[in-house]
Amino acid sequence: MRLLIVEDDAEAAAYLTKAFREVGHVADHAADGLQGYAMAEGGGYDVLVIDRMLPRLDGLSLIRSLREQKDETPALILSALAQVDDRVKGLRAGGDDYLPKPYAFSELLARVEVLARRRGAPAAEPTTYRVGELVLDRLAHRVTREGQEIALQPREFRLLEYLMKHAGQVVTRTMLLENVWDYHFDPQTNVIDVHVSRLRAKVDKGFEQPMIHTIRGAGYMVRDNAR
């Protein structure tokens, strides 16, 4: 799923963003209501997770504004206001669900998944990626090639996972910066080149055919040359 979290509490936002990403979802963050409205309006999100008390534009007004623009993206409201009247106001403003604080992340995740299913979000990503004899198990956090286990650092694992998810396709530097490093700007460093080089040394060294290819002027690609 692709989620937008609109939360002005930096600590809470960081926790939610990290938690959703750890279970395989894409999570973006907006720190106030106006930024959230701008991102939601053109972001193509599956579900919006919106704090009720936001600076610049409160959560209920944000949702009303989206509904006025015929944007029906499911919205779940988070709030410390937990009385029945508060929940009713949230739902009548256009919210699809209302979860009082404090809450358990497991419940929030379950509610978000229900909202996404109702909207017809894409099926969950596979737990295993396979390109030829290269296998990445997302749940076991394990990589093997021809049955040999390959030990990877967390960032290397995430990089290979993204490349294998898009096997046979060119993956650009911008795509890697945004989806592996969570950068939405170019840091003007060789961080990608360094990590790809390290990953190649582990994945391709000792094998006849390379799996990781540089597409000059475009980016990188994982493909099975043996086929």
Side-chain angles (χ1 to χ4, degrees):
M1 289 184 292
R2 190 157 185 259
L3 310 173
L4 175 62
I5 299 164
V6 189
E7 169 65 76
D8 62 314
D9 184 314
E11 186 175 343
Y15 168 75
L16 288 178
T17 301
K18 181 174 182 289
F20 277 118
R21 288 173 179 169
E22 284 179 343
V23 293
H25 302 308
V26 176
D28 295 334
H29 171 235
D32 62 62
L34 286 181
Q35 183 186 14
Y37 177 77
M39 293 176 67
E41 198 174 25
Y45 294 100
D46 296 308
V47 179
L48 310 175
V49 178
I50 301 174
D51 184 57
R52 180 166 177 168
M53 306 299 289
L54 293 168
R56 302 180 71 197
L57 182 70
D58 70 86
L60 302 193
S61 297
L62 190 167
I63 295 171
R64 286 194 196 96
S65 298
L66 290 172
R67 300 303 182 237
E68 288 170 1
Q69 296 301 316
K70 308 302 180 186
D71 186 329
E72 299 300 326
T73 304
L76 183 148
I77 300 167
L78 298 175
S79 178
L81 303 175
Q83 298 301 313
V84 172
D85 286 347
D86 298 316
R87 299 199 297 270
V88 169
K89 287 177 182 177
L91 297 173
R92 285 182 173 167
D96 298 276
D97 200 354
Y98 193 108
L99 184 59
K101 298 177 181 181
Y103 55 83
F105 176 73
S106 57
E107 181 180 2
L108 173 60
L109 176 62
R111 288 173 179 262
V112 166
E113 288 173 342
V114 167
L115 291 178
R117 284 200 300 271
R118 288 177 184 169
R119 192 173 191 242
E125 292 184 16
T127 59
T128 301
Y129 292 121
R130 180 186 294 273
V131 180
E133 293 300 318
L134 180 64
V135 181
L136 182 147
D137 187 327
R138 298 173 65 219
L139 295 183
H141 215 266
R142 185 170 181 263
V143 175
T144 60
R145 183 169 179 182
E146 296 182 8
Q148 300 179 36
E149 187 162 355
I150 300 171
L152 298 180
Q153 296 297 317
R155 187 75 69 181
E156 295 167 346
F157 185 91
R158 193 171 173 186
L159 174 58
L160 182 61
E161 177 183 3
Y162 192 77
L163 289 169
M164 291 183 70
K165 178 180 178 180
H166 298 277
Q169 305 171 22
V170 175
V171 175
T172 67
R173 293 176 61 87
T174 298
M175 291 167 68
L176 291 175
L177 285 171
E178 290 185 350
N179 294 280
V180 179
W181 276 267
D182 298 319
Y183 290 163
H184 294 275
F185 62 94
D186 189 343
Q188 301 296 320
T189 71
N190 65 343
V191 62
I192 292 178
D193 307 289
V194 170
H195 278 79
V196 169
S197 178
R198 290 175 181 169
L199 188 59
R200 273 198 179 108
K202 295 182 178 183
V203 171
D204 288 337
K205 187 176 181 180
F207 295 95
E208 184 178 349
Q209 296 290 340
M211 285 281 192
I212 303 172
H213 303 268
T214 299
I215 309 302
R216 191 173 299 277
Y220 302 95
M221 180 188 296
V222 163
R223 66 170 182 259
D224 182 12
N225 279 350
R227 288 182 148 186

